[in-house]
Amino acid sequence: QTIVADLAPLALRQNQDISLSPAEVVLSGDRMLLEVLFRNLVDNAIRYSGAHSKIQVSVQEDRNAIKILISDTGPEIPLETREKIFEQFYRGHSEKGDGAGLGMSICKDITQLYSATIELAPRENGKNTFVVSFPRSGEIV
């Protein structure tokens, strides 16, 4: 909630609609690392989905996992980028001139610390969706 609230002004400046589906989920862990993980994902959605896009953060739960989904209606992420997006120093949007290409690699490293996974799901319903899945078995610390 805090990250969406913090980044909402950036989205509004680009005429983007950003929303958070309410959920009663608690993840235990290092607050700073979890904030870096989700701030990178939401910030990327805002930066790269373009003006007038819709960005949604939602939570899905089942008996095996807690999944946080960050979706946007921006342009489709090219196949070459999809294959390399979690590699260190890969910059899919080098024409923008910002970033060192470490954000998504850092996200992957953080998820691994929690025995979680991160993936870019196949494009569906005109949306790019990153899914972070935390296992329910064992303790998230």
PDB file of all heavy atoms in Angstrom, residues 32-56:
ATOM      1  N   MET A  32      12.934  -3.483   4.217  1.00  0.00           N
ATOM      2  CA  MET A  32      13.667  -2.749   3.194  1.00  0.00           C
ATOM      3  C   MET A  32      13.781  -3.567   1.902  1.00  0.00           C
ATOM      4  O   MET A  32      13.556  -3.057   0.809  1.00  0.00           O
ATOM      5  CB  MET A  32      15.057  -2.357   3.680  1.00  0.00           C
ATOM      6  CG  MET A  32      15.812  -1.498   2.673  1.00  0.00           C
ATOM      7  SD  MET A  32      17.472  -1.073   3.214  1.00  0.00           S
ATOM      8  CE  MET A  32      18.326  -2.582   2.868  1.00  0.00           C
ATOM      9  N   LEU A  33      14.122  -4.853   2.018  1.00  0.00           N
ATOM     10  CA  LEU A  33      14.255  -5.694   0.829  1.00  0.00           C
ATOM     11  C   LEU A  33      12.920  -5.855   0.103  1.00  0.00           C
ATOM     12  O   LEU A  33      12.857  -5.772  -1.125  1.00  0.00           O
ATOM     13  CB  LEU A  33      14.815  -7.066   1.194  1.00  0.00           C
ATOM     14  CG  LEU A  33      16.283  -7.115   1.584  1.00  0.00           C
ATOM     15  CD1 LEU A  33      16.671  -8.533   2.007  1.00  0.00           C
ATOM     16  CD2 LEU A  33      17.175  -6.630   0.454  1.00  0.00           C
ATOM     17  N   LEU A  34      11.857  -6.079   0.863  1.00  0.00           N
ATOM     18  CA  LEU A  34      10.545  -6.232   0.232  1.00  0.00           C
ATOM     19  C   LEU A  34      10.104  -4.927  -0.432  1.00  0.00           C
ATOM     20  O   LEU A  34       9.512  -4.942  -1.518  1.00  0.00           O
ATOM     21  CB  LEU A  34       9.515  -6.718   1.251  1.00  0.00           C
ATOM     22  CG  LEU A  34       9.756  -8.140   1.770  1.00  0.00           C
ATOM     23  CD1 LEU A  34       8.801  -8.465   2.908  1.00  0.00           C
ATOM     24  CD2 LEU A  34       9.641  -9.169   0.653  1.00  0.00           C
ATOM     25  N   GLU A  35      10.416  -3.798   0.191  1.00  0.00           N
ATOM     26  CA  GLU A  35      10.091  -2.511  -0.431  1.00  0.00           C
ATOM     27  C   GLU A  35      10.890  -2.300  -1.713  1.00  0.00           C
ATOM     28  O   GLU A  35      10.346  -1.806  -2.709  1.00  0.00           O
ATOM     29  CB  GLU A  35      10.336  -1.356   0.542  1.00  0.00           C
ATOM     30  CG  GLU A  35       9.276  -1.242   1.595  1.00  0.00           C
ATOM     31  CD  GLU A  35       9.482  -0.075   2.539  1.00  0.00           C
ATOM     32  OE1 GLU A  35      10.501   0.652   2.431  1.00  0.00           O
ATOM     33  OE2 GLU A  35       8.612   0.113   3.412  1.00  0.00           O
ATOM     34  N   VAL A  36      12.161  -2.660  -1.722  1.00  0.00           N
ATOM     35  CA  VAL A  36      12.975  -2.537  -2.940  1.00  0.00           C
ATOM     36  C   VAL A  36      12.371  -3.394  -4.052  1.00  0.00           C
ATOM     37  O   VAL A  36      12.223  -2.946  -5.192  1.00  0.00           O
ATOM     38  CB  VAL A  36      14.445  -2.934  -2.677  1.00  0.00           C
ATOM     39  CG1 VAL A  36      15.213  -3.121  -3.982  1.00  0.00           C
ATOM     40  CG2 VAL A  36      15.135  -1.895  -1.806  1.00  0.00           C
ATOM     41  N   LEU A  37      12.003  -4.609  -3.718  1.00  0.00           N
ATOM     42  CA  LEU A  37      11.409  -5.523  -4.692  1.00  0.00           C
ATOM     43  C   LEU A  37      10.167  -4.904  -5.334  1.00  0.00           C
ATOM     44  O   LEU A  37      10.088  -4.771  -6.559  1.00  0.00           O
ATOM     45  CB  LEU A  37      11.045  -6.845  -3.996  1.00  0.00           C
ATOM     46  CG  LEU A  37      10.183  -7.826  -4.777  1.00  0.00           C
ATOM     47  CD1 LEU A  37      10.904  -8.334  -6.017  1.00  0.00           C
ATOM     48  CD2 LEU A  37       9.760  -8.991  -3.880  1.00  0.00           C
ATOM     49  N   PHE A  38       9.207  -4.508  -4.514  1.00  0.00           N
ATOM     50  CA  PHE A  38       7.937  -4.028  -5.058  1.00  0.00           C
ATOM     51  C   PHE A  38       8.028  -2.607  -5.610  1.00  0.00           C
ATOM     52  O   PHE A  38       7.352  -2.272  -6.581  1.00  0.00           O
ATOM     53  CB  PHE A  38       6.827  -4.177  -4.022  1.00  0.00           C
ATOM     54  CG  PHE A  38       6.544  -5.629  -3.740  1.00  0.00           C
ATOM     55  CD1 PHE A  38       6.800  -6.168  -2.494  1.00  0.00           C
ATOM     56  CD2 PHE A  38       6.079  -6.469  -4.741  1.00  0.00           C
ATOM     57  CE1 PHE A  38       6.573  -7.512  -2.241  1.00  0.00           C
ATOM     58  CE2 PHE A  38       5.850  -7.816  -4.503  1.00  0.00           C
ATOM     59  CZ  PHE A  38       6.095  -8.337  -3.253  1.00  0.00           C
ATOM     60  N   ARG A  39       8.912  -1.784  -5.054  1.00  0.00           N
ATOM     61  CA  ARG A  39       9.105  -0.440  -5.610  1.00  0.00           C
ATOM     62  C   ARG A  39       9.684  -0.536  -7.022  1.00  0.00           C
ATOM     63  O   ARG A  39       9.253   0.179  -7.933  1.00  0.00           O
ATOM     64  CB  ARG A  39      10.006   0.399  -4.713  1.00  0.00           C
ATOM     65  CG  ARG A  39      10.151   1.847  -5.186  1.00  0.00           C
ATOM     66  CD  ARG A  39      10.902   2.685  -4.177  1.00  0.00           C
ATOM     67  NE  ARG A  39      10.255   2.733  -2.886  1.00  0.00           N
ATOM     68  CZ  ARG A  39       9.261   3.576  -2.568  1.00  0.00           C
ATOM     69  NH1 ARG A  39       8.831   4.439  -3.461  1.00  0.00           N
ATOM     70  NH2 ARG A  39       8.724   3.559  -1.368  1.00  0.00           N
ATOM     71  N   ASN A  40      10.666  -1.425  -7.235  1.00  0.00           N
ATOM     72  CA  ASN A  40      11.233  -1.602  -8.571  1.00  0.00           C
ATOM     73  C   ASN A  40      10.158  -2.022  -9.572  1.00  0.00           C
ATOM     74  O   ASN A  40      10.089  -1.490 -10.685  1.00  0.00           O
ATOM     75  CB  ASN A  40      12.343  -2.662  -8.562  1.00  0.00           C
ATOM     76  CG  ASN A  40      13.695  -2.108  -8.225  1.00  0.00           C
ATOM     77  OD1 ASN A  40      13.966  -0.929  -8.377  1.00  0.00           O
ATOM     78  ND2 ASN A  40      14.569  -2.973  -7.744  1.00  0.00           N
ATOM     79  N   LEU A  41       9.325  -2.971  -9.189  1.00  0.00           N
ATOM     80  CA  LEU A  41       8.308  -3.482 -10.107  1.00  0.00           C
ATOM     81  C   LEU A  41       7.249  -2.431 -10.443  1.00  0.00           C
ATOM     82  O   LEU A  41       6.890  -2.246 -11.612  1.00  0.00           O
ATOM     83  CB  LEU A  41       7.660  -4.739  -9.534  1.00  0.00           C
ATOM     84  CG  LEU A  41       8.583  -5.956  -9.467  1.00  0.00           C
ATOM     85  CD1 LEU A  41       7.964  -7.055  -8.619  1.00  0.00           C
ATOM     86  CD2 LEU A  41       8.901  -6.470 -10.866  1.00  0.00           C
ATOM     87  N   VAL A  42       6.764  -1.732  -9.429  1.00  0.00           N
ATOM     88  CA  VAL A  42       5.737  -0.715  -9.676  1.00  0.00           C
ATOM     89  C   VAL A  42       6.334   0.474 -10.418  1.00  0.00           C
ATOM     90  O   VAL A  42       5.738   0.994 -11.366  1.00  0.00           O
ATOM     91  CB  VAL A  42       5.061  -0.278  -8.351  1.00  0.00           C
ATOM     92  CG1 VAL A  42       4.102   0.883  -8.577  1.00  0.00           C
ATOM     93  CG2 VAL A  42       4.328  -1.463  -7.720  1.00  0.00           C
ATOM     94  N   ASP A  43       7.531   0.887 -10.038  1.00  0.00           N
ATOM     95  CA  ASP A  43       8.199   2.004 -10.716  1.00  0.00           C
ATOM     96  C   ASP A  43       8.429   1.685 -12.196  1.00  0.00           C
ATOM     97  O   ASP A  43       8.192   2.530 -13.065  1.00  0.00           O
ATOM     98  CB  ASP A  43       9.526   2.323 -10.025  1.00  0.00           C
ATOM     99  CG  ASP A  43      10.223   3.516 -10.648  1.00  0.00           C
ATOM    100  OD1 ASP A  43       9.698   4.644 -10.508  1.00  0.00           O
ATOM    101  OD2 ASP A  43      11.279   3.326 -11.283  1.00  0.00           O
ATOM    102  N   ASN A  44       8.866   0.471 -12.501  1.00  0.00           N
ATOM    103  CA  ASN A  44       9.062   0.083 -13.901  1.00  0.00           C
ATOM    104  C   ASN A  44       7.748   0.124 -14.672  1.00  0.00           C
ATOM    105  O   ASN A  44       7.711   0.552 -15.828  1.00  0.00           O
ATOM    106  CB  ASN A  44       9.681  -1.306 -14.009  1.00  0.00           C
ATOM    107  CG  ASN A  44      11.182  -1.294 -13.832  1.00  0.00           C
ATOM    108  OD1 ASN A  44      11.803  -0.247 -13.720  1.00  0.00           O
ATOM    109  ND2 ASN A  44      11.771  -2.471 -13.798  1.00  0.00           N
ATOM    110  N   ALA A  45       6.672  -0.343 -14.058  1.00  0.00           N
ATOM    111  CA  ALA A  45       5.371  -0.307 -14.727  1.00  0.00           C
ATOM    112  C   ALA A  45       4.993   1.131 -15.063  1.00  0.00           C
ATOM    113  O   ALA A  45       4.522   1.419 -16.174  1.00  0.00           O
ATOM    114  CB  ALA A  45       4.303  -0.961 -13.854  1.00  0.00           C
ATOM    115  N   ILE A  46       5.226   2.034 -14.138  1.00  0.00           N
ATOM    116  CA  ILE A  46       4.913   3.446 -14.372  1.00  0.00           C
ATOM    117  C   ILE A  46       5.805   4.029 -15.461  1.00  0.00           C
ATOM    118  O   ILE A  46       5.335   4.687 -16.394  1.00  0.00           O
ATOM    119  CB  ILE A  46       5.048   4.252 -13.066  1.00  0.00           C
ATOM    120  CG1 ILE A  46       3.962   3.827 -12.073  1.00  0.00           C
ATOM    121  CG2 ILE A  46       4.994   5.755 -13.335  1.00  0.00           C
ATOM    122  CD1 ILE A  46       4.171   4.346 -10.658  1.00  0.00           C
ATOM    123  N   ARG A  47       7.097   3.772 -15.378  1.00  0.00           N
ATOM    124  CA  ARG A  47       8.050   4.360 -16.331  1.00  0.00           C
ATOM    125  C   ARG A  47       7.882   3.865 -17.761  1.00  0.00           C
ATOM    126  O   ARG A  47       8.047   4.627 -18.708  1.00  0.00           O
ATOM    127  CB  ARG A  47       9.480   4.055 -15.894  1.00  0.00           C
ATOM    128  CG  ARG A  47       9.957   4.827 -14.715  1.00  0.00           C
ATOM    129  CD  ARG A  47      11.385   4.387 -14.345  1.00  0.00           C
ATOM    130  NE  ARG A  47      11.807   4.998 -13.127  1.00  0.00           N
ATOM    131  CZ  ARG A  47      12.526   6.125 -13.082  1.00  0.00           C
ATOM    132  NH1 ARG A  47      12.882   6.716 -14.194  1.00  0.00           N
ATOM    133  NH2 ARG A  47      12.862   6.627 -11.921  1.00  0.00           N
ATOM    134  N   TYR A  48       7.586   2.593 -17.910  1.00  0.00           N
ATOM    135  CA  TYR A  48       7.664   2.002 -19.242  1.00  0.00           C
ATOM    136  C   TYR A  48       6.328   1.647 -19.884  1.00  0.00           C
ATOM    137  O   TYR A  48       6.290   1.258 -21.039  1.00  0.00           O
ATOM    138  CB  TYR A  48       8.568   0.771 -19.206  1.00  0.00           C
ATOM    139  CG  TYR A  48       9.968   1.116 -18.735  1.00  0.00           C
ATOM    140  CD1 TYR A  48      10.503   0.543 -17.598  1.00  0.00           C
ATOM    141  CD2 TYR A  48      10.741   2.046 -19.424  1.00  0.00           C
ATOM    142  CE1 TYR A  48      11.774   0.871 -17.158  1.00  0.00           C
ATOM    143  CE2 TYR A  48      12.005   2.389 -18.987  1.00  0.00           C
ATOM    144  CZ  TYR A  48      12.520   1.799 -17.855  1.00  0.00           C
ATOM    145  OH  TYR A  48      13.779   2.137 -17.421  1.00  0.00           O
ATOM    146  N   SER A  49       5.220   1.805 -19.163  1.00  0.00           N
ATOM    147  CA  SER A  49       3.941   1.442 -19.776  1.00  0.00           C
ATOM    148  C   SER A  49       3.340   2.572 -20.596  1.00  0.00           C
ATOM    149  O   SER A  49       2.446   2.335 -21.403  1.00  0.00           O
ATOM    150  CB  SER A  49       2.940   0.977 -18.711  1.00  0.00           C
ATOM    151  OG  SER A  49       2.630   2.025 -17.822  1.00  0.00           O
ATOM    152  N   GLY A  50       3.822   3.771 -20.417  1.00  0.00           N
ATOM    153  CA  GLY A  50       3.380   4.881 -21.252  1.00  0.00           C
ATOM    154  C   GLY A  50       2.190   5.638 -20.685  1.00  0.00           C
ATOM    155  O   GLY A  50       1.513   5.188 -19.758  1.00  0.00           O
ATOM    156  N   ALA A  51       1.949   6.802 -21.275  1.00  0.00           N
ATOM    157  CA  ALA A  51       0.846   7.655 -20.845  1.00  0.00           C
ATOM    158  C   ALA A  51      -0.484   6.934 -21.030  1.00  0.00           C
ATOM    159  O   ALA A  51      -0.645   6.129 -21.955  1.00  0.00           O
ATOM    160  CB  ALA A  51       0.859   8.958 -21.630  1.00  0.00           C
ATOM    161  N   HIS A  52      -1.387   7.216 -20.131  1.00  0.00           N
ATOM    162  CA  HIS A  52      -2.764   6.697 -20.179  1.00  0.00           C
ATOM    163  C   HIS A  52      -2.871   5.193 -19.951  1.00  0.00           C
ATOM    164  O   HIS A  52      -3.924   4.611 -20.210  1.00  0.00           O
ATOM    165  CB  HIS A  52      -3.453   7.098 -21.482  1.00  0.00           C
ATOM    166  CG  HIS A  52      -3.389   8.559 -21.757  1.00  0.00           C
ATOM    167  ND1 HIS A  52      -4.099   9.483 -21.030  1.00  0.00           N
ATOM    168  CD2 HIS A  52      -2.652   9.257 -22.652  1.00  0.00           C
ATOM    169  CE1 HIS A  52      -3.816  10.702 -21.482  1.00  0.00           C
ATOM    170  NE2 HIS A  52      -2.935  10.594 -22.452  1.00  0.00           N
ATOM    171  N   SER A  53      -1.815   4.554 -19.488  1.00  0.00           N
ATOM    172  CA  SER A  53      -1.898   3.120 -19.208  1.00  0.00           C
ATOM    173  C   SER A  53      -2.559   2.898 -17.854  1.00  0.00           C
ATOM    174  O   SER A  53      -2.715   3.818 -17.057  1.00  0.00           O
ATOM    175  CB  SER A  53      -0.506   2.477 -19.235  1.00  0.00           C
ATOM    176  OG  SER A  53       0.294   3.018 -18.221  1.00  0.00           O
ATOM    177  N   LYS A  54      -2.932   1.661 -17.625  1.00  0.00           N
ATOM    178  CA  LYS A  54      -3.519   1.265 -16.355  1.00  0.00           C
ATOM    179  C   LYS A  54      -2.561   0.306 -15.676  1.00  0.00           C
ATOM    180  O   LYS A  54      -2.098  -0.654 -16.285  1.00  0.00           O
ATOM    181  CB  LYS A  54      -4.874   0.602 -16.566  1.00  0.00           C
ATOM    182  CG  LYS A  54      -5.880   1.559 -17.114  1.00  0.00           C
ATOM    183  CD  LYS A  54      -7.222   0.925 -17.310  1.00  0.00           C
ATOM    184  CE  LYS A  54      -8.068   1.974 -17.974  1.00  0.00           C
ATOM    185  NZ  LYS A  54      -9.415   1.795 -18.003  1.00  0.00           N
ATOM    186  N   ILE A  55      -2.273   0.572 -14.422  1.00  0.00           N
ATOM    187  CA  ILE A  55      -1.358  -0.252 -13.632  1.00  0.00           C
ATOM    188  C   ILE A  55      -2.145  -0.784 -12.445  1.00  0.00           C
ATOM    189  O   ILE A  55      -2.830  -0.018 -11.757  1.00  0.00           O
ATOM    190  CB  ILE A  55      -0.148   0.578 -13.165  1.00  0.00           C
ATOM    191  CG1 ILE A  55       0.609   1.104 -14.380  1.00  0.00           C
ATOM    192  CG2 ILE A  55       0.754  -0.245 -12.248  1.00  0.00           C
ATOM    193  CD1 ILE A  55       1.446   2.314 -14.113  1.00  0.00           C
ATOM    194  N   GLN A  56      -2.049  -2.076 -12.232  1.00  0.00           N
ATOM    195  CA  GLN A  56      -2.777  -2.669 -11.120  1.00  0.00           C
ATOM    196  C   GLN A  56      -1.863  -3.586 -10.318  1.00  0.00           C
ATOM    197  O   GLN A  56      -1.128  -4.394 -10.882  1.00  0.00           O
ATOM    198  CB  GLN A  56      -3.978  -3.466 -11.599  1.00  0.00           C
ATOM    199  CG  GLN A  56      -4.758  -4.058 -10.445  1.00  0.00           C
ATOM    200  CD  GLN A  56      -6.056  -4.700 -10.877  1.00  0.00           C
ATOM    201  OE1 GLN A  56      -6.227  -5.053 -12.029  1.00  0.00           O
ATOM    202  NE2 GLN A  56      -6.957  -4.857  -9.936  1.00  0.00           N
TER     203      GLN A  56
END
